[in-house]
Amino acid sequence: MEKKELDLVLVPIGLVIMVSYHVWLFYRIKRHPKTTVLGINAINRVAWVKAMMSDPENGILAVQTLRNSIMAATLLSTMAVMLSSLIVVLMTSNSVGLSSGGNSEYGGGIVYGNSSKLLLSIKFFAILLCALTAFLLFAQSVRYSNHTGVLINVPFKNQAPTITPEYVGRIMNKGSDFWSLGWRAYYFSFPLFLWIFGPIPMFLCCVVMVFLLYFLDISNHPVLTRAEAQNAENERSA
């Protein structure tokens, strides 16, 4: 196999591994949320919203907590914009040879794979797409966090029928979902960045990242409800 053909084999396989893992994770979150960190956090956020809305004195604590989330999402979205600007500069710079035309290769013998300038532009564009996607997702996370900050302070006696702790918890979880998706966009940009150095580092990064994400996403200690915990305690005592 010629080295230029490695990009046609290793890159699609690496992307399929990443996408397949996230499809499986999405299925597990929907079917068995208590066995995933994302599912457990979503359940706990709803419980936290109920605790905050049950006592009006918790309003300041709730707003401060949401403010921290907004500040973190704002920082990450700013980083995404800065990364996008840097990539655009590199794509239009003569230092990488993209604006000079021609079909000469870059990197000499360092890059083991297809080293044409056309493919280099595709690599930079893929990283740029991930950065812009991360920016949009974190911006949506800020939006839903702002909505949560308003709704969570509505007094119980003045609540409309639709403004319940469950409803506010769903709004907060949507913001958290966008937060998680923004991080996933960053995660996808890592293998694409290593693709600049060849398909082999990109493929290895996909495999290692899926292995690490599995231990970050899956919980070995599922959350039990009070009834389930009581039943388990009764079985142990019996």
Side-chain angles (χ1 to χ4, degrees):
M1 179 183 296
E2 297 183 1
K3 69 176 186 177
K4 291 185 177 181
E5 297 178 353
L6 287 176
D7 292 88
L8 300 177
V9 177
L10 295 182
V11 173
I13 294 176
L15 293 177
V16 167
I17 292 174
M18 289 283 290
V19 173
S20 299
Y21 168 77
H22 285 89
V23 170
W24 171 82
L25 179 63
F26 177 79
Y27 171 82
R28 185 148 183 172
I29 291 174
K30 290 297 182 180
R31 296 295 183 180
H32 309 284
K34 295 180 182 179
T35 62
T36 63
V37 175
L38 295 176
I40 293 173
N41 290 340
I43 296 172
N44 290 332
R45 276 190 293 270
V46 174
W48 179 80
V49 169
K50 291 180 179 179
M52 293 297 103
M53 296 183 69
S54 63
D55 188 354
E57 295 182 358
N58 292 330
I60 297 177
L61 174 61
V63 171
Q64 289 179 341
T65 303
L66 293 170
R67 182 188 62 184
N68 293 336
S69 299
I70 292 173
M71 292 177 61
T74 303
L75 175 61
L76 292 171
S77 62
T78 303
M79 291 175 56
V81 172
M82 294 176 60
L83 180 61
S84 301
S85 302
L86 177 61
I87 294 171
V88 171
V89 171
L90 292 176
M91 291 179 66
T92 58
S93 174
N94 289 327
S95 61
V96 296
L98 296 179
S99 60
S100 59
N103 295 319
S104 59
E105 296 185 349
Y106 69 92
I110 298 177
V111 179
Y112 195 81
N114 192 336
S115 56
S116 65
K117 294 178 181 178
L118 175 61
L119 186 62
L120 178 61
S121 64
I122 295 175
K123 296 175 182 179
F124 277 114
F125 179 77
I127 301 173
L128 175 63
L129 186 61
C130 286
L132 292 176
T133 302
F135 166 75
L136 294 175
L137 292 171
F138 284 121
Q140 289 297 317
S141 177
V142 172
R143 173 186 172 226
Y144 279 100
S145 295
N146 283 327
H147 292 336
T148 305
V150 174
L151 297 176
I152 202 171
N153 285 310
V154 176
F156 270 108
K157 60 181 180 180
N158 296 330
Q159 280 184 347
T162 56
I163 304 179
T164 62
E166 291 75 13
Y167 172 77
V168 180
R170 287 195 298 269
I171 296 297
M172 186 176 183
N173 279 332
K174 285 184 179 179
S176 180
D177 291 340
F178 279 112
W179 166 279
S180 299
L181 290 174
W183 270 112
R184 301 292 157 166
Y186 274 133
Y187 293 155
F188 268 90
S189 67
F190 293 157
L192 295 176
F193 175 77
L194 291 180
W195 189 19
I196 297 176
F197 303 96
I200 297 178
M202 184 268 186
F203 175 77
L204 294 178
C205 182
C206 289
V207 175
V208 173
M209 182 163 292
V210 167
F211 179 78
L212 294 177
L213 287 177
Y214 176 84
F215 289 98
L216 293 177
D217 295 330
I218 303 302
S219 174
N220 294 324
H221 303 284
V223 175
L224 300 178
T225 63
R226 290 185 177 180
E228 292 173 342
Q230 186 64 37
N231 292 335
E233 183 66 25
N234 293 335
E235 292 178 358
R236 286 195 296 267
S237 60

